[in-house]
Amino acid sequence: GKPPLSPSWGRKSAREVNHPVTPSASKTMTTDLREIAEQHFTRGNQFDEQGWRERAIAEWQEALHFNPDHAAAHFNLGIAYAENGDAEMAVEHLRTVVRLDPFDLEAKRELAEVYAEQDRPDDAINQLRQALNIAPGDGDAAHRLAELYLDQEMWDQAASALEAGAMAEEDADLW
């Protein structure tokens, strides 16, 4: 059977938000629009914390109306859609996060989980390998990668991923 969706590594909060903005977008997008987007994003997080998922989704979508490059709103929508069983929308939003911030490890791990749920192991493996290229000490990504390799009966790759995950945990003990 397919592995269950991972408990998410957590939603993005206003404090964690990266605001990647292209030079052309920065000329046309006013501070006011970004502030309005941030208000909708924050309201969406509040609704989500209170268990009002549909209202949260509507607020995050509204944030994107005012700032289409709001990576954290895309991330939260991706997680919400994944949890609601809408994998296609989840992929769309999580891929947007990765496009906006290629170094967002959480987005890569979550996208890998959605791909695994969709029975797209090659895409899931690709996302986790990218995450490990960025952060070789990401033990969670290494272990999940090993699981995917085992599911595909790719024994040597699974052993390498497990070894990398074990090294990451050993290194963590040193600090």
Side-chain angles (χ1 to χ4, degrees), residues 18-166:
N18 295 332
H19 293 285
V21 177
T22 60
S24 61
S26 66
K27 293 175 187 170
T28 58
M29 186 183 297
T30 66
T31 303
D32 289 344
L33 290 179
R34 284 195 297 267
E35 288 175 6
I36 292 169
E38 197 60 33
Q39 290 168 2
H40 284 287
F41 172 73
T42 300
R43 200 171 309 136
N45 288 349
Q46 291 167 346
F47 283 137
D48 194 53
E49 288 170 13
Q50 295 169 2
W52 296 336
R53 174 57 56 85
E54 295 308 315
R55 291 178 78 176
I57 288 172
E59 289 293 335
W60 293 325
Q61 288 170 333
E62 195 66 16
L64 294 178
H65 173 77
F66 290 100
N67 180 359
D69 291 340
H70 196 299
H74 280 290
F75 181 86
N76 287 1
L77 282 165
I79 298 302
Y81 286 127
E83 291 174 354
N84 286 352
D86 189 343
E88 292 303 319
M89 289 297 291
V91 166
E92 179 181 323
H93 285 285
L94 291 169
R95 286 184 64 173
T96 299
V97 176
V98 170
R99 180 181 54 78
L100 292 170
D101 182 1
F103 298 99
D104 189 325
L105 298 175
E106 282 184 288
K108 288 182 181 297
R109 288 190 302 248
E110 292 291 348
L111 183 54
E113 288 303 321
V114 175
Y115 282 146
E117 278 290 309
Q118 288 184 301
D119 200 24
R120 294 172 60 181
D122 292 343
D123 290 326
I125 287 168
N126 183 40
Q127 289 301 316
L128 292 170
R129 289 183 62 179
Q130 287 178 34
L132 287 168
N133 283 337
I134 295 166
D138 186 342
D140 290 334
H143 286 120
R144 184 63 181 117
L145 181 60
E147 290 174 1
L148 288 167
Y149 281 139
L150 289 172
D151 289 345
Q152 299 302 303
E153 298 183 4
M154 299 169 76
W155 313 119
D156 292 342
Q157 294 91 332
S160 295
L162 285 172
E163 188 175 309

